[in-house]
Amino acid sequence: MLQSWRRLYSTALKATPSKIHLHKPIPSDNFPKGFRLTGLHCGVKKSPSALDLAVIVSDAPSDRTSAAACFTENAFRAAPVLVSEEILAGNKRARALVVNSGCANAVTGQKGLDHAWAMSSAVDALLDPPAEKQTMVMSTGVIGQHLPIDKILSGIKTGATDLGDNFEAWERAAKAFMTTDTFPKLRARTFDLDGKKVRIAGMDKGAGMIHPRMGPPKSSLHATLLGFVATDALISPPALQSALTHAVQRSFNSISVDGDMSTNDTIIVIANGASGMTEPIEDGTPAFSKFQDELTDFCAEIAKLIVRDGEGARKFVTVSVEGASTYEDASKVASTISTSMLVKTALYGEDANWGRILASAGSVSDSLSKPLDPSRVSVSFIPAATLSDTTPLKLLTRGEPETVDEERAKVILSEEDLEIKVELGIGNESAVYWTCDLSHEYVSINGDYRS
């Protein structure tokens, strides 16, 4: 009976639109100079066609290289997180990264730590010249299982003979990050800085277990999210960490698929100075402000790809909160709305049940620096730019409900993209979160994840 119900249930699912169109070729000249990388199958995943190991190295001298990272604040931090934290704490000029997918190496005890260090040391030995503690580590996949470390170490040796710097090499590395992702998330761009052309490229992965809260190593700030950003800018290690912390708070820490924080969430940036810049960027300078803005915008671009590829997701939803007393207050309200199961299921059902939005926002009022005043709050749906009528649909204006055109609301909610705008009417600060709907398919994917 149960199997029969599942068959009937599966036929009722809405087909999730393909996301492969979001993966596009990138001109090789847009990728940062001085990086070589590859992706390959080493045997962590069952399918021989599934890439599961990436190796990324910077060939620039270590004295021109800076590294920075933000890590998960989950109490059960995975072995690769602990190892990468230790490496970065002792060496702000790490210049390589090794990543496996298919096994998270999380909650794996001392053996897991030994395996993560073995991966780091194996890549260190391949650097020119060989080094110690210059390779950071990422892992993603099933929690509580040990890595097939012999296969990974063999794969690292194989990968060292196939490192490249063109689009195909970057694409292979991005594919090796993937677990339940449906497309490789890879982007690159250029910008001018101090008279030099600077390049920035990045890849990330994530589709489920997405609600990051990451901060710098040893900081009290706040499926798995992994991200790597490379740039050929010349920047000091403290300035790079400061820029990344700012960028992550406004990008990766502002997305949610299902409200679950992973044990492995990690964002790493390596800057190798290969652009030709002569003086390193320092915090507090005009060049730093320009770099920080570019990095933040770039991180937001690749973070949004994770939401678009959310497990079972059909909607990409921007939650904008304006008129808050502080950025932190605006972000907390936006986060609460973005993680509400009732809001997310209404979005999936294309139901303009805006009372759920208000209920979510109101649930955190007492924790804000200034509590909400219901008589000042307004809520609107902002239609996708693809619609002929992009006039905001007002749902609530300063605490008074509007007479809602349900047919127009249905049209707005039927689009893949939409925005929920909440105006608090208290202050001048704002924040944005990006989220998705919650579908039957999400349950199916995560009910069978280990199989």
Side-chain angles (χ1 to χ4, degrees):
M1 175 65 76
L2 181 59
Q3 291 299 321
S4 176
W5 177 85
R6 283 177 172 167
R7 283 194 297 270
L8 289 172
Y9 177 75
S10 66
T11 63
L13 300 183
K14 299 178 182 179
T16 303
S18 170
K19 310 294 175 62
I20 192 62
H21 66 282
L22 296 172
H23 177 54
K24 301 174 182 178
I26 299 169
S28 293
D29 187 53
N30 283 11
F31 292 108
K33 294 180 178 179
F35 287 92
R36 292 182 298 129
L37 62 172
T38 192
L40 66 149
H41 174 79
C42 72
V44 182
K45 295 176 181 174
K46 296 177 182 178
S47 171
S49 63
L51 306 189
D52 53 20
L53 181 67
V55 178
I56 304 169
V57 301
S58 167
D59 292 326
S62 59
D63 62 353
R64 288 181 65 84
T65 301
S66 297
C70 288
F71 299 104
T72 182
E73 293 182 358
N74 195 301
F76 292 95
R77 296 147 79 84
V81 172
L82 298 175
V83 166
S84 294
E85 269 200 322
E86 183 173 333
I87 290 171
L88 197 60
N91 177 20
K92 303 295 186 183
R93 299 190 181 278
R95 57 194 180 99
L97 173 66
V98 59
V99 183
N100 78 269
S101 57
C103 177
N105 192 15
V107 199
T108 47
Q110 184 59 48
K111 186 174 181 180
L113 285 169
D114 293 343
H115 286 171
W117 279 117
M119 291 171 65
S120 176
S121 298
V123 177
D124 278 346
L126 301 173
L127 298 176
D128 185 17
E132 289 186 3
K133 293 187 175 182
Q134 290 213 0
T135 302
M136 291 185 280
V137 186
M138 293 179 178
S139 298
T140 180
V142 178
I143 294 171
Q145 296 184 1
H146 290 295
L147 293 170
I149 192 62
D150 291 340
K151 293 179 179 180
I152 290 176
L153 297 180
S154 176
I156 289 172
K157 291 181 180 179
T158 301
T161 66
D162 190 35
L163 298 172
D165 60 5
N166 57 14
F167 169 72
E168 289 73 20
W170 284 85
E171 182 183 44
R172 287 197 302 273
K175 287 181 177 179
F177 275 56
M178 296 167 58
T179 51
T180 57
D181 307 68
T182 64
F183 67 93
K185 300 168 178 65
L186 174 65
R187 291 291 186 268
R189 64 171 67 171
T190 65
F191 59 97
D192 292 329
L193 193 62
D194 280 355
K196 296 292 183 181
K197 181 179 181 180
V198 172
R199 300 162 181 84
I200 186 168
M203 61 191 74
D204 56 15
K205 64 81 51 188
M209 197 180 284
I210 302 296
H211 188 76
R213 191 171 72 244
M214 297 179 284
K218 309 302 182 185
S219 168
S220 61
L221 300 173
H222 69 237
T224 298
L225 185 156
L226 299 183
F228 170 69
V229 176
T231 177
D232 52 17
L234 180 63
I235 181 170
S236 71
L240 184 61
Q241 184 64 65
S242 179
L244 178 62
T245 302
H246 176 91
V248 164
Q249 186 61 30
R250 291 156 179 79
S251 58
F252 295 104
N253 277 6
S254 294
I255 64 173
S256 185
V257 169
D258 47 24
D260 277 317
M261 184 201 307
S262 169
T263 55
N264 293 58
D265 290 337
T266 303
I267 303 296
I268 289 173
V269 178
I270 296 178
N272 68 4
S275 62
M277 296 173 62
T278 56
E279 295 295 327
I281 300 168
E282 298 291 351
D283 202 344
T285 63
F288 174 80
S289 297
K290 169 73 171 174
F291 178 83
Q292 179 174 264
D293 288 346
E294 292 285 351
L295 180 63
T296 301
D297 189 62
F298 183 75
C299 286
E301 179 182 358
I302 60 176
K304 286 187 277 189
L305 294 176
I306 291 173
V307 178
R308 288 194 179 277
D309 199 25
E311 290 171 347
R314 295 170 51 83
K315 308 290 184 187
F316 177 83
V317 184
T318 300
V319 179
S320 302
V321 175
E322 300 179 353
S325 295
T326 65
Y327 169 81
E328 290 73 19
D329 284 356
S331 181
K332 182 175 289 188
V333 173
S335 172
T336 304
I337 294 169
S338 297
T339 55
S340 165
M341 294 296 103
L342 290 176
V343 171
K344 291 164 76 71
T345 51
L347 291 167
Y348 175 71
E350 300 174 356
D351 177 13
N353 193 344
W354 55 267
R356 295 181 175 183
I357 299 169
L358 276 184
S360 295
S363 69
V364 294
S365 178
D366 288 346
S367 66
L368 305 179
S369 64
K370 188 172 184 179
L372 301 181
D373 179 346
S375 68
R376 295 185 178 186
V377 177
S378 300
V379 180
S380 303
F381 286 150
I382 310 298
T386 52
L387 291 175
S388 57
D389 184 358
T390 58
T391 306
L393 179 63
K394 295 181 178 181
L395 307 170
L396 181 80
T397 302
R398 297 186 66 82
E400 296 293 334
E402 299 280 355
T403 301
V404 178
D405 183 341
E406 294 288 347
E407 289 189 10
R408 183 160 182 255
K410 190 72 173 179
V411 170
I412 293 172
L413 291 169
S414 68
E415 293 292 298
E416 182 178 345
D417 287 27
L418 73 141
E419 177 182 347
I420 297 171
K421 183 177 181 180
V422 180
E423 298 173 88
L424 302 183
I426 297 173
N428 299 312
E429 295 297 322
S430 62
V432 175
Y433 242 79
W434 297 284
T435 190
C436 58
D437 56 346
L438 181 66
S439 69
H440 300 292
E441 188 176 351
Y442 176 88
V443 178
S444 299
I445 292 168
N446 285 282
D448 270 340
Y449 184 76
R450 294 199 304 166
S451 61

